[in-house]
Amino acid sequence: MDCLFCRIVNQQIPTKLIFEDEFVLAFHDINPQAPVHVLIIPKRHIATLNDLSLADLELGGRMLIAARTVAAQLGIAADGYRTVMNCNGHGGQTVFHIHLHILGGRVLNWPPG
Ligand code: AMP
Ligand code: ZN
């Protein structure tokens, strides 16, 4: 299996790393859609949100806690931000290793396109 984000976890591709713990990595998106655009990924490969199981309960929580930590660290917590996880074609997923987008630093429109 050749997965871009597994290669990032394995340090075969460099990123602008923000945060790392036993479960997750946080790094800046290479093609930012807002002044702050960060991705939180699990270190373990999970292709889509559809593949998340109850065994991943802690991992899901860890991703959210990492999002909160990154928002505070990058100074967008008080103004606000958005978290997004795209799933499959209609959701606009392009990398099939789950990731939580954190977008902030500007007002974001709702509903999204
Ligand atoms: P999605 O469309 O939800 O699957 O999001 C994939 C995201 O990964 C996009 O926002 C890309 O800009 C981002 N991305 C792709 N390659 C890299 C990379 N090497 N480093 C950081 N972000 C990346
Ligand atoms: Zn992967």
Side-chain angles (χ1 to χ4, degrees), residues 62-94:
R62 292 275 181 172
M63 289 177 75
L64 287 175
I65 292 294
R68 177 214 62 181
T69 302
V70 164
Q73 201 173 317
L74 298 184
I76 58 171
D79 282 342
Y81 55 95
R82 184 168 296 161
T83 57
V84 174
M85 192 181 288
N86 296 324
C87 183
N88 280 340
H90 283 192
Q93 185 174 6
T94 60

PDB file of all heavy atoms in Angstrom, residues 62-94:
ATOM      1  N   ARG A  62      -8.574  11.518  20.581  1.00  0.00           N
ATOM      2  CA  ARG A  62      -7.216  12.098  20.527  1.00  0.00           C
ATOM      3  C   ARG A  62      -7.099  13.092  19.379  1.00  0.00           C
ATOM      4  O   ARG A  62      -6.418  14.114  19.497  1.00  0.00           O
ATOM      5  CB  ARG A  62      -6.170  10.993  20.339  1.00  0.00           C
ATOM      6  CG  ARG A  62      -6.040  10.090  21.535  1.00  0.00           C
ATOM      7  CD  ARG A  62      -5.102  10.686  22.551  1.00  0.00           C
ATOM      8  NE  ARG A  62      -4.951   9.810  23.705  1.00  0.00           N
ATOM      9  CZ  ARG A  62      -4.078  10.019  24.677  1.00  0.00           C
ATOM     10  NH1 ARG A  62      -3.274  11.069  24.636  1.00  0.00           N
ATOM     11  NH2 ARG A  62      -3.997   9.201  25.692  1.00  0.00           N
ATOM     12  N   MET A  63      -7.747  12.790  18.255  1.00  0.00           N
ATOM     13  CA  MET A  63      -7.699  13.722  17.116  1.00  0.00           C
ATOM     14  C   MET A  63      -8.381  15.042  17.485  1.00  0.00           C
ATOM     15  O   MET A  63      -7.882  16.129  17.148  1.00  0.00           O
ATOM     16  CB  MET A  63      -8.353  13.101  15.878  1.00  0.00           C
ATOM     17  CG  MET A  63      -7.519  11.962  15.284  1.00  0.00           C
ATOM     18  SD  MET A  63      -8.311  11.168  13.880  1.00  0.00           S
ATOM     19  CE  MET A  63      -8.062  12.419  12.604  1.00  0.00           C
ATOM     20  N   LEU A  64      -9.509  14.963  18.196  1.00  0.00           N
ATOM     21  CA  LEU A  64     -10.207  16.191  18.588  1.00  0.00           C
ATOM     22  C   LEU A  64      -9.404  16.975  19.627  1.00  0.00           C
ATOM     23  O   LEU A  64      -9.317  18.206  19.554  1.00  0.00           O
ATOM     24  CB  LEU A  64     -11.597  15.856  19.140  1.00  0.00           C
ATOM     25  CG  LEU A  64     -12.626  15.425  18.095  1.00  0.00           C
ATOM     26  CD1 LEU A  64     -13.920  14.996  18.773  1.00  0.00           C
ATOM     27  CD2 LEU A  64     -12.898  16.566  17.116  1.00  0.00           C
ATOM     28  N   ILE A  65      -8.821  16.269  20.562  1.00  0.00           N
ATOM     29  CA  ILE A  65      -8.006  16.958  21.573  1.00  0.00           C
ATOM     30  C   ILE A  65      -6.792  17.616  20.911  1.00  0.00           C
ATOM     31  O   ILE A  65      -6.410  18.731  21.256  1.00  0.00           O
ATOM     32  CB  ILE A  65      -7.568  15.963  22.678  1.00  0.00           C
ATOM     33  CG1 ILE A  65      -8.786  15.524  23.496  1.00  0.00           C
ATOM     34  CG2 ILE A  65      -6.499  16.564  23.575  1.00  0.00           C
ATOM     35  CD1 ILE A  65      -9.443  16.603  24.323  1.00  0.00           C
ATOM     36  N   ALA A  66      -6.216  16.952  19.911  1.00  0.00           N
ATOM     37  CA  ALA A  66      -5.088  17.541  19.182  1.00  0.00           C
ATOM     38  C   ALA A  66      -5.543  18.804  18.444  1.00  0.00           C
ATOM     39  O   ALA A  66      -4.813  19.807  18.406  1.00  0.00           O
ATOM     40  CB  ALA A  66      -4.500  16.531  18.207  1.00  0.00           C
ATOM     41  N   ALA A  67      -6.768  18.766  17.886  1.00  0.00           N
ATOM     42  CA  ALA A  67      -7.297  19.940  17.182  1.00  0.00           C
ATOM     43  C   ALA A  67      -7.400  21.124  18.147  1.00  0.00           C
ATOM     44  O   ALA A  67      -6.992  22.244  17.833  1.00  0.00           O
ATOM     45  CB  ALA A  67      -8.659  19.618  16.582  1.00  0.00           C
ATOM     46  N   ARG A  68      -7.921  20.869  19.312  1.00  0.00           N
ATOM     47  CA  ARG A  68      -8.051  21.918  20.335  1.00  0.00           C
ATOM     48  C   ARG A  68      -6.675  22.471  20.723  1.00  0.00           C
ATOM     49  O   ARG A  68      -6.485  23.681  20.839  1.00  0.00           O
ATOM     50  CB  ARG A  68      -8.759  21.313  21.556  1.00  0.00           C
ATOM     51  CG  ARG A  68      -8.902  22.242  22.713  1.00  0.00           C
ATOM     52  CD  ARG A  68      -8.814  21.516  24.034  1.00  0.00           C
ATOM     53  NE  ARG A  68      -7.515  20.878  24.211  1.00  0.00           N
ATOM     54  CZ  ARG A  68      -7.169  20.157  25.261  1.00  0.00           C
ATOM     55  NH1 ARG A  68      -8.040  19.942  26.215  1.00  0.00           N
ATOM     56  NH2 ARG A  68      -5.967  19.635  25.357  1.00  0.00           N
ATOM     57  N   THR A  69      -5.723  21.577  20.894  1.00  0.00           N
ATOM     58  CA  THR A  69      -4.375  21.988  21.291  1.00  0.00           C
ATOM     59  C   THR A  69      -3.735  22.856  20.211  1.00  0.00           C
ATOM     60  O   THR A  69      -3.137  23.891  20.502  1.00  0.00           O
ATOM     61  CB  THR A  69      -3.496  20.737  21.530  1.00  0.00           C
ATOM     62  OG1 THR A  69      -4.130  19.944  22.532  1.00  0.00           O
ATOM     63  CG2 THR A  69      -2.095  21.108  21.957  1.00  0.00           C
ATOM     64  N   VAL A  70      -3.875  22.430  18.956  1.00  0.00           N
ATOM     65  CA  VAL A  70      -3.292  23.171  17.835  1.00  0.00           C
ATOM     66  C   VAL A  70      -3.948  24.544  17.707  1.00  0.00           C
ATOM     67  O   VAL A  70      -3.270  25.552  17.486  1.00  0.00           O
ATOM     68  CB  VAL A  70      -3.442  22.365  16.526  1.00  0.00           C
ATOM     69  CG1 VAL A  70      -3.224  23.232  15.306  1.00  0.00           C
ATOM     70  CG2 VAL A  70      -2.474  21.195  16.526  1.00  0.00           C
ATOM     71  N   ALA A  71      -5.277  24.600  17.864  1.00  0.00           N
ATOM     72  CA  ALA A  71      -5.988  25.883  17.767  1.00  0.00           C
ATOM     73  C   ALA A  71      -5.470  26.855  18.818  1.00  0.00           C
ATOM     74  O   ALA A  71      -5.229  28.042  18.524  1.00  0.00           O
ATOM     75  CB  ALA A  71      -7.489  25.668  17.911  1.00  0.00           C
ATOM     76  N   ALA A  72      -5.272  26.365  20.022  1.00  0.00           N
ATOM     77  CA  ALA A  72      -4.750  27.227  21.087  1.00  0.00           C
ATOM     78  C   ALA A  72      -3.316  27.654  20.755  1.00  0.00           C
ATOM     79  O   ALA A  72      -2.966  28.838  20.859  1.00  0.00           O
ATOM     80  CB  ALA A  72      -4.801  26.489  22.421  1.00  0.00           C
ATOM     81  N   GLN A  73      -2.519  26.699  20.321  1.00  0.00           N
ATOM     82  CA  GLN A  73      -1.095  26.957  20.026  1.00  0.00           C
ATOM     83  C   GLN A  73      -0.935  27.984  18.899  1.00  0.00           C
ATOM     84  O   GLN A  73      -0.027  28.808  18.944  1.00  0.00           O
ATOM     85  CB  GLN A  73      -0.468  25.623  19.616  1.00  0.00           C
ATOM     86  CG  GLN A  73       1.021  25.527  19.744  1.00  0.00           C
ATOM     87  CD  GLN A  73       1.494  24.090  19.458  1.00  0.00           C
ATOM     88  OE1 GLN A  73       0.887  23.118  19.908  1.00  0.00           O
ATOM     89  NE2 GLN A  73       2.578  23.958  18.716  1.00  0.00           N
ATOM     90  N   LEU A  74      -1.838  27.945  17.913  1.00  0.00           N
ATOM     91  CA  LEU A  74      -1.712  28.850  16.764  1.00  0.00           C
ATOM     92  C   LEU A  74      -2.536  30.125  16.933  1.00  0.00           C
ATOM     93  O   LEU A  74      -2.629  30.937  16.007  1.00  0.00           O
ATOM     94  CB  LEU A  74      -2.073  28.115  15.468  1.00  0.00           C
ATOM     95  CG  LEU A  74      -1.171  26.917  15.133  1.00  0.00           C
ATOM     96  CD1 LEU A  74      -1.551  26.311  13.793  1.00  0.00           C
ATOM     97  CD2 LEU A  74       0.311  27.298  15.129  1.00  0.00           C
ATOM     98  N   GLY A  75      -3.171  30.289  18.089  1.00  0.00           N
ATOM     99  CA  GLY A  75      -3.820  31.554  18.418  1.00  0.00           C
ATOM    100  C   GLY A  75      -5.154  31.810  17.739  1.00  0.00           C
ATOM    101  O   GLY A  75      -5.568  32.957  17.587  1.00  0.00           O
ATOM    102  N   ILE A  76      -5.871  30.730  17.338  1.00  0.00           N
ATOM    103  CA  ILE A  76      -7.166  30.908  16.670  1.00  0.00           C
ATOM    104  C   ILE A  76      -8.335  30.432  17.533  1.00  0.00           C
ATOM    105  O   ILE A  76      -9.492  30.495  17.099  1.00  0.00           O
ATOM    106  CB  ILE A  76      -7.218  30.193  15.299  1.00  0.00           C
ATOM    107  CG1 ILE A  76      -6.935  28.697  15.446  1.00  0.00           C
ATOM    108  CG2 ILE A  76      -6.237  30.843  14.311  1.00  0.00           C
ATOM    109  CD1 ILE A  76      -7.194  27.897  14.173  1.00  0.00           C
ATOM    110  N   ALA A  77      -8.039  29.986  18.745  1.00  0.00           N
ATOM    111  CA  ALA A  77      -9.086  29.368  19.579  1.00  0.00           C
ATOM    112  C   ALA A  77     -10.196  30.363  19.920  1.00  0.00           C
ATOM    113  O   ALA A  77     -11.381  30.050  19.787  1.00  0.00           O
ATOM    114  CB  ALA A  77      -8.472  28.782  20.836  1.00  0.00           C
ATOM    115  N   ALA A  78      -9.835  31.550  20.335  1.00  0.00           N
ATOM    116  CA  ALA A  78     -10.846  32.516  20.799  1.00  0.00           C
ATOM    117  C   ALA A  78     -11.686  33.043  19.632  1.00  0.00           C
ATOM    118  O   ALA A  78     -12.910  33.134  19.737  1.00  0.00           O
ATOM    119  CB  ALA A  78     -10.169  33.662  21.546  1.00  0.00           C
ATOM    120  N   ASP A  79     -11.067  33.396  18.528  1.00  0.00           N
ATOM    121  CA  ASP A  79     -11.818  33.907  17.372  1.00  0.00           C
ATOM    122  C   ASP A  79     -12.673  32.810  16.748  1.00  0.00           C
ATOM    123  O   ASP A  79     -13.753  33.095  16.224  1.00  0.00           O
ATOM    124  CB  ASP A  79     -10.861  34.456  16.304  1.00  0.00           C
ATOM    125  CG  ASP A  79     -10.338  35.835  16.663  1.00  0.00           C
ATOM    126  OD1 ASP A  79     -10.957  36.491  17.526  1.00  0.00           O
ATOM    127  OD2 ASP A  79      -9.320  36.241  16.076  1.00  0.00           O
ATOM    128  N   GLY A  80     -12.168  31.595  16.755  1.00  0.00           N
ATOM    129  CA  GLY A  80     -12.907  30.463  16.220  1.00  0.00           C
ATOM    130  C   GLY A  80     -12.266  29.878  14.981  1.00  0.00           C
ATOM    131  O   GLY A  80     -11.390  30.494  14.354  1.00  0.00           O
ATOM    132  N   TYR A  81     -12.717  28.720  14.632  1.00  0.00           N
ATOM    133  CA  TYR A  81     -12.121  27.964  13.522  1.00  0.00           C
ATOM    134  C   TYR A  81     -13.084  26.865  13.118  1.00  0.00           C
ATOM    135  O   TYR A  81     -14.149  26.715  13.731  1.00  0.00           O
ATOM    136  CB  TYR A  81     -10.755  27.383  13.945  1.00  0.00           C
ATOM    137  CG  TYR A  81     -10.805  26.538  15.193  1.00  0.00           C
ATOM    138  CD1 TYR A  81     -10.922  25.163  15.117  1.00  0.00           C
ATOM    139  CD2 TYR A  81     -10.759  27.128  16.465  1.00  0.00           C
ATOM    140  CE1 TYR A  81     -10.980  24.389  16.264  1.00  0.00           C
ATOM    141  CE2 TYR A  81     -10.823  26.356  17.621  1.00  0.00           C
ATOM    142  CZ  TYR A  81     -10.930  24.993  17.518  1.00  0.00           C
ATOM    143  OH  TYR A  81     -11.002  24.227  18.655  1.00  0.00           O
ATOM    144  N   ARG A  82     -12.745  26.124  12.108  1.00  0.00           N
ATOM    145  CA  ARG A  82     -13.594  25.027  11.637  1.00  0.00           C
ATOM    146  C   ARG A  82     -12.786  23.742  11.563  1.00  0.00           C
ATOM    147  O   ARG A  82     -11.623  23.763  11.133  1.00  0.00           O
ATOM    148  CB  ARG A  82     -14.182  25.364  10.266  1.00  0.00           C
ATOM    149  CG  ARG A  82     -15.163  24.291   9.764  1.00  0.00           C
ATOM    150  CD  ARG A  82     -15.944  24.778   8.565  1.00  0.00           C
ATOM    151  NE  ARG A  82     -16.785  25.914   8.944  1.00  0.00           N
ATOM    152  CZ  ARG A  82     -17.302  26.790   8.086  1.00  0.00           C
ATOM    153  NH1 ARG A  82     -17.081  26.652   6.794  1.00  0.00           N
ATOM    154  NH2 ARG A  82     -18.044  27.786   8.511  1.00  0.00           N
ATOM    155  N   THR A  83     -13.423  22.636  11.939  1.00  0.00           N
ATOM    156  CA  THR A  83     -12.820  21.314  11.722  1.00  0.00           C
ATOM    157  C   THR A  83     -13.666  20.596  10.677  1.00  0.00           C
ATOM    158  O   THR A  83     -14.897  20.673  10.715  1.00  0.00           O
ATOM    159  CB  THR A  83     -12.786  20.486  13.016  1.00  0.00           C
ATOM    160  OG1 THR A  83     -14.100  20.360  13.526  1.00  0.00           O
ATOM    161  CG2 THR A  83     -11.890  21.116  14.056  1.00  0.00           C
ATOM    162  N   VAL A  84     -12.998  19.917   9.756  1.00  0.00           N
ATOM    163  CA  VAL A  84     -13.683  19.228   8.653  1.00  0.00           C
ATOM    164  C   VAL A  84     -12.996  17.888   8.420  1.00  0.00           C
ATOM    165  O   VAL A  84     -11.757  17.813   8.405  1.00  0.00           O
ATOM    166  CB  VAL A  84     -13.561  20.042   7.336  1.00  0.00           C
ATOM    167  CG1 VAL A  84     -14.142  19.268   6.154  1.00  0.00           C
ATOM    168  CG2 VAL A  84     -14.233  21.398   7.466  1.00  0.00           C
ATOM    169  N   MET A  85     -13.802  16.844   8.234  1.00  0.00           N
ATOM    170  CA  MET A  85     -13.243  15.588   7.750  1.00  0.00           C
ATOM    171  C   MET A  85     -14.027  15.177   6.507  1.00  0.00           C
ATOM    172  O   MET A  85     -15.207  14.830   6.592  1.00  0.00           O
ATOM    173  CB  MET A  85     -13.306  14.494   8.817  1.00  0.00           C
ATOM    174  CG  MET A  85     -12.464  13.282   8.435  1.00  0.00           C
ATOM    175  SD  MET A  85     -12.518  11.942   9.642  1.00  0.00           S
ATOM    176  CE  MET A  85     -11.554  12.642  10.979  1.00  0.00           C
ATOM    177  N   ASN A  86     -13.395  15.259   5.371  1.00  0.00           N
ATOM    178  CA  ASN A  86     -14.037  14.903   4.109  1.00  0.00           C
ATOM    179  C   ASN A  86     -14.045  13.382   3.953  1.00  0.00           C
ATOM    180  O   ASN A  86     -13.064  12.721   4.298  1.00  0.00           O
ATOM    181  CB  ASN A  86     -13.273  15.527   2.931  1.00  0.00           C
ATOM    182  CG  ASN A  86     -13.309  17.050   2.980  1.00  0.00           C
ATOM    183  OD1 ASN A  86     -14.312  17.636   3.370  1.00  0.00           O
ATOM    184  ND2 ASN A  86     -12.215  17.687   2.582  1.00  0.00           N
ATOM    185  N   CYS A  87     -15.143  12.859   3.417  1.00  0.00           N
ATOM    186  CA  CYS A  87     -15.244  11.403   3.236  1.00  0.00           C
ATOM    187  C   CYS A  87     -15.657  11.062   1.807  1.00  0.00           C
ATOM    188  O   CYS A  87     -16.722  11.503   1.343  1.00  0.00           O
ATOM    189  CB  CYS A  87     -16.236  10.810   4.229  1.00  0.00           C
ATOM    190  SG  CYS A  87     -16.334   9.012   4.125  1.00  0.00           S
ATOM    191  N   ASN A  88     -14.771  10.304   1.135  1.00  0.00           N
ATOM    192  CA  ASN A  88     -15.053   9.778  -0.223  1.00  0.00           C
ATOM    193  C   ASN A  88     -15.386  10.887  -1.224  1.00  0.00           C
ATOM    194  O   ASN A  88     -15.110  12.070  -0.968  1.00  0.00           O
ATOM    195  CB  ASN A  88     -16.136   8.696  -0.153  1.00  0.00           C
ATOM    196  CG  ASN A  88     -15.552   7.349   0.302  1.00  0.00           C
ATOM    197  OD1 ASN A  88     -14.353   7.135   0.202  1.00  0.00           O
ATOM    198  ND2 ASN A  88     -16.400   6.467   0.785  1.00  0.00           N
ATOM    199  N   GLY A  89     -15.935  10.479  -2.353  1.00  0.00           N
ATOM    200  CA  GLY A  89     -16.078  11.377  -3.499  1.00  0.00           C
ATOM    201  C   GLY A  89     -16.933  12.597  -3.249  1.00  0.00           C
ATOM    202  O   GLY A  89     -16.506  13.733  -3.505  1.00  0.00           O
ATOM    203  N   HIS A  90     -18.124  12.412  -2.739  1.00  0.00           N
ATOM    204  CA  HIS A  90     -19.009  13.562  -2.522  1.00  0.00           C
ATOM    205  C   HIS A  90     -18.466  14.497  -1.447  1.00  0.00           C
ATOM    206  O   HIS A  90     -18.734  15.703  -1.473  1.00  0.00           O
ATOM    207  CB  HIS A  90     -20.427  13.098  -2.151  1.00  0.00           C
ATOM    208  CG  HIS A  90     -21.227  12.618  -3.323  1.00  0.00           C
ATOM    209  ND1 HIS A  90     -22.586  12.392  -3.273  1.00  0.00           N
ATOM    210  CD2 HIS A  90     -20.851  12.317  -4.593  1.00  0.00           C
ATOM    211  CE1 HIS A  90     -23.023  11.988  -4.453  1.00  0.00           C
ATOM    212  NE2 HIS A  90     -21.979  11.920  -5.269  1.00  0.00           N
ATOM    213  N   GLY A  91     -17.724  13.950  -0.514  1.00  0.00           N
ATOM    214  CA  GLY A  91     -17.135  14.781   0.543  1.00  0.00           C
ATOM    215  C   GLY A  91     -15.889  15.519   0.088  1.00  0.00           C
ATOM    216  O   GLY A  91     -15.420  16.423   0.783  1.00  0.00           O
ATOM    217  N   GLY A  92     -15.336  15.102  -1.051  1.00  0.00           N
ATOM    218  CA  GLY A  92     -14.141  15.774  -1.563  1.00  0.00           C
ATOM    219  C   GLY A  92     -12.833  15.237  -1.012  1.00  0.00           C
ATOM    220  O   GLY A  92     -11.807  15.913  -1.045  1.00  0.00           O
ATOM    221  N   GLN A  93     -12.857  13.979  -0.521  1.00  0.00           N
ATOM    222  CA  GLN A  93     -11.626  13.390   0.020  1.00  0.00           C
ATOM    223  C   GLN A  93     -10.670  13.039  -1.123  1.00  0.00           C
ATOM    224  O   GLN A  93     -11.078  12.408  -2.100  1.00  0.00           O
ATOM    225  CB  GLN A  93     -11.957  12.136   0.831  1.00  0.00           C
ATOM    226  CG  GLN A  93     -10.747  11.528   1.525  1.00  0.00           C
ATOM    227  CD  GLN A  93     -11.124  10.358   2.438  1.00  0.00           C
ATOM    228  OE1 GLN A  93     -12.288   9.923   2.471  1.00  0.00           O
ATOM    229  NE2 GLN A  93     -10.127   9.846   3.156  1.00  0.00           N
ATOM    230  N   THR A  94      -9.425  13.471  -0.997  1.00  0.00           N
ATOM    231  CA  THR A  94      -8.423  13.172  -2.027  1.00  0.00           C
ATOM    232  C   THR A  94      -7.279  12.310  -1.488  1.00  0.00           C
ATOM    233  O   THR A  94      -6.582  11.661  -2.262  1.00  0.00           O
ATOM    234  CB  THR A  94      -7.827  14.463  -2.635  1.00  0.00           C
ATOM    235  OG1 THR A  94      -7.206  15.221  -1.597  1.00  0.00           O
ATOM    236  CG2 THR A  94      -8.902  15.303  -3.313  1.00  0.00           C
TER     237      THR A  94
END
